[in-house]
C-alpha cells in the first residue's frame, strides 16, 4: 500500500470538510442547550424532546413517511415493469423514443415536473393532498428505478428463463421464481433510492401538497423563514440519519450482489 | 443373438416421433437452418455432429420451443408443435451454457422441474436423490452452482434435464467438460436410461467417438444442412460426400478419373502411376472425376510388395504419429501425394519395423477404398 502523502492528506481533509462541515455543525448545534442557534451553551437533548411534542412536525413526519413508502413501492413495481419492456421487447416502433422518454424525468428540472403535475391535478380536479404527493413522487422516482433495474437486466442471462420454461414454468412463474430472485438486489436498491428521493423532495412536494397534507421538508422550509430554531436542527439531524442509513444499506446491498455476481461470472468463465 | 435390429428408419410402417418438414430458420438475412426435411424415431439416440456454428443448437432450440421456424413445420408425434409453448412441451433440454439457477442449490436446481409437476414432497426427494447418485453429486447437493467445478456444473445441468424423464430429451454437448473416464461412464448411463425409459435422445457433440458410441444414427451437419444421417457404421464406412468422410475419423482423399473395370472402377490419379481399383458400389460415367477416400487402418504397410493385391503403391515415410495403441504413418507416394496408414502397436516401440525415410509398400483390398462423386 502506498502511504498517504502530505498533499493527498490535505486534499482529502479539505474535500471532506467542504462536503460535511455544514452538516457536522448542524448536528452539533442540534445538541445545543441555548435557544439561540449561534451561541453554544452546553450539551442537551432537550430540542429532540420539544420536537416530539410538536404535533405539526409529527404529522408532517408521518405524511412524509407514508408518501415515501407508498410512492417508492408503486414506483418500484412500475419502474421494474418499464425496465423489463425496455430491455426485453426487441425492436418495436417508437422504442428509442420510449426509452428516451422514460429517462427524461432524471434530467427534467424539478420545477417543471412539479408545475406540470400541478396543472394536471388542477385540470382533472384532483384535490391536492397526500394522494397527489404520492402520485407526483411515483412519477419521478420510477424513472430512477427503471434505470437501476434495466442496467441489471442487461447482464441477465435469458437462458435462465428459458430453462425455467423448459422445466414446465409458466412465463409468470419463470419471472417469479427465477428472474425476480436474481435481480432482487437491483430492485431493492431501486426501492431504497426512490424512498430516499421521496424523503428529500421539497420542490415537487411544494407544488403538489395541499393544506391537508404537508411533508417534512416543506414544514422545515416554511418554519425556517420565521428564523432557524434548534428544533429544526434536531429534526434535520434525524433526517440525515435516516437518509444515511438508506444510502448505506442500498450501497451494501448492491456491493454484495455485485460481489456475488462476480463470483458467478468467474465460475461461468471457468467452464467456458 | 436373435435380436431384431433397431432400424425404424428403414421400416416404412414406423411412425416418426419428430418430423422436420422443409424447416428453414433465418436470423435476419443469415440462414442458420436451410430447408431441412428429416425424421427422428421413438427410442432413437440421434446425434448431431458438425463444426461450430453449423446450426446444431438452433435445431435443438426449435424443438424445445425457443425459436420458431421461419418456414416449414416441425411435428412431434404427428402434431404441429408451432402453437405449443415451451413449458407445455414434453421435451426437456440441457443447455450448452448449462443455465443453472444461480440462486438455488444443486438440490433445488434438480428439483425445480419436478416441483412444477406437483409431485409429492417424498417423490421429489427420492427422484432428486436418484439423480444426484447417478451423476455422482450427492455430496454437493447443498452447494450453489458457483461453488462447484465446471464438470460438476455440467452434471447438475444433465441431472436437471433428466429428472423429469421426458419423452424427448435434448442434450447440447452434455459431456464436454468431463474427463474421459467419467464421460464414458456417463455415456453408458445415458444408454442405460434410454433402455429403461424409452426416452428419445437428440444429442449434440463435438466428440466423434462419443457419437459413434451412443448414437443409433449420426447426422453430420454443415452450414445449416444435414449432409448425411445414418448409422455410425455406415457414416464411417459409406460416407456419401468427401465432407462427411473427412469430418468423421481420419481419411486420405485422392482425386482422379474413373474408368469402368469389371465390378468396380479404376481411378487414375497421377501420370504414370498404376490406377487404384475399388469395387465400391456407385454409378459413375466413363472419365468422371471422383474422389477416393481411404481409411488409414485399412491400409497395410510392408517392406516388400505384397502378393495378390491389386492395390499396392510404393512410397517414402515422411512422418510417424505415435498414438499409444496405434501408429499412423504419413507416406508420400507418386506425385507427392500423402497417404496415411495405421498399424496397431502390438510390439514395444523399440522393435518398430519402419522409421523415417524408409521406402515401403502400401496396400489395401479391392473393397477398402470408398468412391465419392465430385
Ligand atoms: N439469435 C441469433 N441471432 C443471429 N444469429 C444467430 C442467433 N442464434 C444463432 N445464430 C447463428 O446461427 C448459426 C448457428 O448457431 P448455433 O448456435 O446453432 O451453432 P452450433 O452448431 O450450436 O455451434 P456450436 O458448436 O459452436 O455450439 C451461427 O452462425 C450463429 O451465429
Ligand atoms: Mg451450440
Amino acid at each position: 500500500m502506498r502511504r498517504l502523502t502530505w498533499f493527498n492528506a490535505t486534499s482529502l481533509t479539505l474535500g471532506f470538510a467542504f462536503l460535511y462541515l455544514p452538516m457536522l455543525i448542524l448536528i452539533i448545534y442540534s445538541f445545543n442547550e441555548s435557544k439561540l442557534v449561534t451561541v453554544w451553551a452546553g450539551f442537551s437533548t432537550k430540542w429532540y424532546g420539544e420536537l416530539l411534542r410538536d404535533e405539526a412536525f409529527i404529522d408532517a413526519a408521518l405524511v412524509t413517511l407514508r408518501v415515501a413508502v407508498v410512492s417508492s413501492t408503486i414506483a418500484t413495481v412500475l419502474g421494474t415493469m418499464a425496465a423489463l419492456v425496455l430491455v426485453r421487447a426487441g425492436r418495436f416502433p417508437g422504442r428509442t423514443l420510449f426509452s428516451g422518454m422514460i429517462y427524461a424525468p432524471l434530467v427534467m428540472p424539478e420545477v417543471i415536473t412539479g408545475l406540470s403535475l400541478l396543472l394536471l391535478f388542477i385540470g382533472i380536479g384532483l384535490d391536492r393532498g397526500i394522494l397527489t404527493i404520492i402520485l407526483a413522487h411515483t412519477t419521478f422516482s420510477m424513472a430512477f428505478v427503471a434505470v437501476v433495474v434495466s442496467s441489471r437486466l442487461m447482464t441477465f442471462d435469458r437462458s435462465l428463463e428459458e430453462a425455467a420454461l423448459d422445466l414446465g414454468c409458466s412465463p409468470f412463474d419463470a419471472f417469479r421464481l427465477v428472474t425476480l430472485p436474481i435481480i432482487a438486489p437491483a430492485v431493492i436498491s431501486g426501492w431504497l433510492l426512490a424512498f430516499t428521493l421521496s424523503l428529500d423532495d421539497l420542490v415537487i412536494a411544494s407544488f403538489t401538497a395541499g393544506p391537508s397534507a404537508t411533508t417534512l421538508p416543506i414544514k422545515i422550509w416554511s418554519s425556517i423563514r420565521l428564523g432557524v430554531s434548534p428544533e429544526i436542527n434536531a429534526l434535520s439531524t434525524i433526517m440525515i440519519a435516516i437518509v444515511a442509513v438508506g444510502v448505506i444499506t442500498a450501497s451494501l446491498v448492491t456491493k454484495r450482489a455485485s460481489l456475488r455476481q462476480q463470483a458467478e461470472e468467474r465460475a461461468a468463465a471457468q467452464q467456458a | 443373438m436373435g435380436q431384431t435390429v433397431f432400424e425404424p428408419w428403414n421400416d416404412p410402417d414406423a411412425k416418426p416421433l419428430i418430423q422436420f418438414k422443409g424447416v428453414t430458420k433465418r436470423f435476419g438475412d443469415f440462414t442458420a437452418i436451410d430447408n431441412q426435411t428429416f425424421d427422428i424415431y421413438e427410442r432413437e439416440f440421434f446425434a448431431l455432429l458438425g463444426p461450430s456454428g453449423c446450426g446444431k443448437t438452433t435445431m435443438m432450440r426449435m424443438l424445445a420451443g425457443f425459436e420458431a421456424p421461419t418456414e416449414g413445420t416441425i411435428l412431434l408425434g404427428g402434431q404441429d408443435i408451432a402453437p405449443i409453448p415451451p413449458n407445455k412441451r414434453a421435451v426437456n433440454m440441457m443447455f450448452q451454457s448449462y443455465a443453472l439457477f444461480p440462486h438455488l442449490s444443486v438440490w433445488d436446481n434438480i428439483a425445480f422441474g419436478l416441483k412444477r409437476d406437483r409431485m409429492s414432497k417424498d417423490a421429489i426427494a427420492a427422484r432428486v436423490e436418484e439423480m444426484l447418485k447417478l451423476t455422482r453429486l450427492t455430496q454437493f447437493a447443498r452447494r450453489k452452482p458457483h461453488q462447484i467445478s465446471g464438470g460438476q456444473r455440467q452434471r447438475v445441468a444433465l441431472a436437471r434435464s433428466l429428472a423429469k424423464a421426458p419423452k424427448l430429451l435434448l442434450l447440447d454437448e452434455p459431456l464436454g467438460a468431463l474427463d474421459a473416464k467419467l464421460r464414458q461412464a456417463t455415456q453408458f448411463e445415458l444408454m442405460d436410461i434410454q433402455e429403461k425409459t424409452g426416452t428419445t435422445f437428440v444429442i449434440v457433440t463435438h466428440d466423434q467417438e462419443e457419437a459413434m458410441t451412443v448414437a443409433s444414427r449420426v447426422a453430420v451437419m454443415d452450414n445449416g444442412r444435414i449432409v448425411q444421417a445414418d448409422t455410425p457404421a455406415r457414416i464411417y464406412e459409406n460416407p456419401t460426400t468427401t465432407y462427411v468422410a473427412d469430418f468423421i475419423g481420419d481419411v486420405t482423399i485422392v482425386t482422379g478419373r474413373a474408368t469402368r473395370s469389371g465390378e468396380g472402377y479404376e481411378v487414375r490419379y497421377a501420370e504414370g502411376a498404376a490406377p487404384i481399383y475399388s469395387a465400391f458400389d456407385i454409378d459413375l460415367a466413363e472419365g468422371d472425376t471422383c474422389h477416393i477416400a481411404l481409411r488409414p487402418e485399412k491400409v497395410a504397410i510392408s517392406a516388400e510388395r505384397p502378393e495378390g493385391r491389386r492395390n499396392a503403391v510404393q512410397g517414402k515415410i515422411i512422418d510417424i504419429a505415435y498414438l499409444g495403441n496405434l501408429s499412423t504413418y504419413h507416406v508420400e507416394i507418386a506425385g507427392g501425394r500423402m497417404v496415411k496408414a495405421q498399424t496397431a502397436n502390438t510390439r514395444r516401440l523399440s522393435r518398430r519395423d519402419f522409421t523415417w525415410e524408409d521406402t515401403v509398400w502400401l496396400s489395401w483390398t479391392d473393397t477398402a477404398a470408398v468412391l465419392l462423386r465430385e
Side-chain angles (χ1 to χ4, degrees):
Chain A
M1 279 289 264
R2 284 234 307 265
R3 300 254 334 262
L4 222 53
T5 66
W6 181 85
F7 175 76
N8 285 352
T10 315
S11 329
L12 199 67
T13 318
L14 271 178
F16 272 87
F18 198 78
L19 280 175
Y20 288 101
L21 204 57
M23 280 191 227
L24 191 66
I25 290 173
L26 184 145
I27 293 169
I28 293 171
Y29 274 100
S30 76
F31 295 103
N32 191 357
E33 171 75 48
S34 162
K35 188 162 179 59
L36 294 170
V37 175
T38 46
V39 181
W40 181 258
F43 180 85
S44 150
T45 52
K46 79 171 182 198
W47 300 114
Y48 288 86
E50 292 277 309
L51 186 66
L52 288 181
R53 276 187 294 280
D54 190 329
E55 268 183 30
F57 272 120
I58 299 292
D59 275 352
L62 286 179
V63 167
T64 309
L65 266 182
R66 278 225 298 275
V67 168
V69 169
V70 176
S71 74
S72 58
T73 306
I74 303 175
T76 304
V77 174
L78 292 179
T80 305
M81 280 160 56
L84 278 169
V85 175
L86 279 181
V87 177
R88 294 293 172 76
R91 305 253 123 222
F92 57 89
R95 181 178 187 276
T96 321
L97 185 68
F98 181 64
S99 64
M101 277 167 67
I102 198 113
Y103 296 136
L106 300 184
V107 291
M108 191 76 75
E110 287 183 322
V111 184
I112 295 178
T113 313
L115 186 61
S116 51
L117 282 164
L118 175 65
L119 291 177
L120 173 73
F121 293 145
I122 292 173
I124 60 173
L126 200 58
D127 274 345
R128 278 174 291 153
I130 188 159
L131 178 65
T132 48
I133 314 177
I134 289 176
L135 288 176
H137 281 186
T138 307
T139 309
F140 86 94
S141 56
M142 77 168 260
F144 288 85
V145 178
V147 171
V148 174
V149 175
S150 62
S151 76
R152 173 66 187 91
L153 278 175
M154 304 255 195
T155 60
F156 181 84
D157 181 5
R158 285 300 297 273
S159 65
L160 294 177
E161 270 175 17
E162 291 177 344
L165 290 177
D166 189 64
L167 292 165
C169 273
S170 64
F172 177 73
D173 274 351
F175 178 76
R176 186 172 62 88
L177 296 168
V178 174
T179 315
L180 196 55
I182 296 173
I183 64 166
V187 175
I188 292 170
S189 54
W191 186 89
L192 284 167
L193 187 62
F195 182 81
T196 337
L197 285 170
S198 165
L199 223 52
D200 278 351
D201 171 66
L202 170 65
V203 178
I204 292 173
S206 23
F207 275 102
T208 52
S212 65
T214 314
T215 65
L216 217 41
I218 298 179
K219 181 81 188 151
I220 295 172
W221 178 246
S222 54
S223 60
I224 278 178
R225 281 191 291 194
L226 308 171
V228 181
S229 85
E231 242 182 8
I232 297 289
N233 286 349
L235 179 62
S236 309
T237 306
I238 292 172
M239 287 189 70
I240 290 174
I242 293 176
V243 171
V245 168
V247 170
I248 292 171
T249 320
S251 76
L252 282 184
V253 169
T254 326
K255 178 102 186 275
R256 241 193 42 201
S258 81
L259 280 181
R260 211 181 54 199
Q261 201 193 340
Q262 271 169 20
E264 279 158 17
E265 272 160 16
R266 257 202 315 276
Q270 276 169 5
Q271 91 195 15
Chain B
M1 296 228 287
Q3 214 170 353
T4 51
V5 229
F6 176 73
E7 283 188 345
W9 50 91
N10 287 333
D11 175 2
D13 294 334
K15 273 243 262 319
L17 179 67
I18 303 166
Q19 289 168 282
F20 273 66
K21 292 196 164 165
V23 173
T24 296
K25 175 71 194 175
R26 287 193 202 92
F27 296 106
D29 49 13
F30 175 80
T31 307
I33 299 293
D34 192 3
N35 190 17
Q36 290 302 289
T37 301
F38 64 93
D39 297 339
I40 300 175
Y41 293 84
E42 207 161 313
R43 307 183 78 98
E44 259 208 86
F45 214 124
F46 194 82
L48 289 172
L49 208 59
S52 184
C54 69
K56 305 180 295 290
T57 300
T58 306
M59 206 84 108
M60 297 277 215
R61 289 175 59 81
M62 287 197 289
L63 279 170
F66 303 128
E67 308 282 2
T70 317
E71 282 160 27
T73 46
I74 304 174
L75 308 183
L76 182 68
Q79 196 188 359
D80 185 1
I81 52 171
I84 307 173
N87 50 319
K88 300 266 164 56
R89 296 187 184 186
V91 176
N92 281 150
M93 171 155 168
M94 175 186 164
F95 288 72
Q96 192 172 12
S97 62
Y98 311 157
L100 299 180
F101 305 127
H103 60 299
L104 299 179
S105 67
V106 167
W107 201 97
D108 286 317
N109 262 284
I110 299 174
F112 192 90
L114 302 173
K115 286 182 182 165
R116 305 282 83 71
D117 286 351
R118 309 192 186 294
M119 279 167 72
S120 77
K121 270 213 163 66
D122 296 339
I124 292 177
R127 182 72 180 153
V128 173
E129 291 306 322
E130 192 184 335
M131 287 298 119
L132 286 169
K133 206 179 290 161
L134 180 72
T135 48
R136 304 180 200 181
L137 287 165
T138 312
Q139 65 193 109
F140 306 108
R142 291 284 145 220
R143 298 230 194 134
K144 292 279 178 66
H146 67 97
Q147 295 166 320
I148 55 179
S149 79
Q152 288 161 355
R153 243 173 267 142
Q154 193 168 42
R155 274 136 65 197
V156 178
L158 182 62
R160 188 178 69 178
S161 62
L162 288 173
K164 290 186 80 167
K167 267 176 85 73
L168 173 62
L169 198 51
L170 310 171
L171 306 176
D172 201 344
E173 292 195 39
L175 312 174
L178 307 185
D179 60 80
K181 278 244 156 63
L182 191 53
R183 182 185 310 201
Q184 218 167 41
T186 316
Q187 283 167 7
F188 285 119
E189 287 294 354
L190 287 181
M191 289 156 75
D192 204 40
I193 289 172
Q194 203 211 18
E195 291 268 296
K196 280 194 206 125
T197 61
T199 305
T200 305
F201 283 76
V202 179
I203 179 172
V204 169
T205 172
H206 275 295
D207 179 352
Q208 307 170 15
E209 207 177 311
E210 183 167 294
M212 295 289 181
T213 315
V214 298
S216 59
R217 278 192 300 164
V218 176
V220 180
M221 291 185 66
D222 182 28
N223 267 329
R225 296 159 183 269
I226 293 183
V227 187
Q228 186 177 1
D230 220 328
T231 59
R234 286 189 59 83
I235 287 270
Y236 190 79
E237 301 290 352
N238 294 40
T240 51
T241 67
T242 48
Y243 177 81
V244 174
D246 201 27
F247 195 81
I248 308 284
D250 219 357
V251 74
T252 302
I253 295 193
V254 180
T255 309
R257 287 186 186 283
T259 31
R260 187 94 224 177
S261 161
E263 293 285 285
Y265 295 90
E266 281 188 336
V267 180
R268 265 164 241 286
Y269 62 95
E271 280 301 323
I276 294 173
Y277 175 77
S278 169
F280 192 74
D281 186 21
I282 188 175
D283 233 0
L284 290 170
E286 202 66 22
D288 265 2
T289 303
C290 70
H291 306 278
I292 296 168
L294 203 49
R295 299 284 180 199
E297 73 277 6
K298 299 202 165 63
V299 179
I301 187 165
S302 56
E304 305 291 324
R305 187 185 170 115
E307 293 290 316
R309 276 213 175 159
R310 194 162 168 185
N311 291 313
V313 292
Q314 206 172 19
K316 194 169 70 176
I317 296 178
I318 300 297
D319 204 1
I320 305 174
Y322 175 67
L323 305 170
N325 54 341
L326 301 169
S327 287
T328 305
Y329 296 87
H330 295 244
V331 180
E332 189 180 325
I333 60 167
R337 280 187 184 70
M338 286 292 202
V339 175
K340 285 179 245 177
Q342 207 166 50
T343 57
N345 291 327
T346 45
R347 304 182 190 181
R348 295 297 299 265
L349 201 55
S350 52
R351 299 193 43 204
R352 198 157 57 183
D353 295 333
F354 308 107
T355 182
W356 287 268
E357 303 289 320
D358 279 358
T359 300
V360 292
W361 282 91
L362 300 179
S363 60
W364 55 92
T365 63
D366 292 352
T367 52
V370 173
L371 293 183
L372 299 166
R373 232 182 285 274
E374 175 78 291

